[in-house]
Amino acid sequence: MAWLVLVIAGLLEVVWAVGLKYTHGFTRLAPSLMTITAMVISIVLLSWSMKTLPTGTAYAVWTGIGAVGAAITGIVLLGESASAARIISLLLIVAGIIGLKISTH
């Protein structure tokens, strides 16, 4: 159950990371409220998952999901670069996340 909660927390990190772009420095109310809400829920869920998962593993997986998700969202929705080096780097992050999951008891 902790892993599922951690994945949801990571997905919410993607929401708030991308949401930051739309807040325009927190000058737009609706995107700002959505971003802050996603931040708070993401942190709460991360904290909950850390009750049973190792801290280093949970934090690394959370940030990995957020980084990969934000980068993919940037590529798909915002027209950011999808260079081979960038894709390979994202795949390495995913490999690290999988390795942490496999090695956690």
Side-chain angles (χ1 to χ4, degrees):
M1 184 64 156
W3 280 101
L4 176 61
V5 170
L6 182 59
V7 168
I8 294 168
L11 294 174
L12 285 168
E13 186 186 6
V14 174
V15 170
W16 70 255
V18 174
L20 283 172
K21 181 156 183 83
Y22 296 99
T23 68
H24 293 273
F26 290 101
T27 60
R28 298 177 67 207
L29 182 60
S32 296
L33 291 175
M34 179 197 69
T35 299
I36 291 168
T37 300
M39 284 178 176
V40 170
I41 295 170
S42 180
I43 293 290
V44 168
L45 293 177
L46 170 63
S47 174
W48 188 89
S49 73
M50 285 182 172
K51 286 190 213 177
T52 56
L53 297 175
T55 299
T57 299
Y59 186 75
V61 169
W62 178 71
T63 57
I65 292 169
V68 170
I72 290 171
T73 301
I75 291 167
V76 173
L77 297 181
L78 304 174
E80 295 176 3
S81 168
S83 67
R86 193 166 188 204
I87 299 300
I88 290 168
S89 298
L90 291 172
L91 291 172
L92 289 170
I93 295 170
V94 171
I97 292 169
I98 292 168
L100 287 169
K101 168 64 172 122
I102 291 169
S103 67
T104 302
H105 302 142

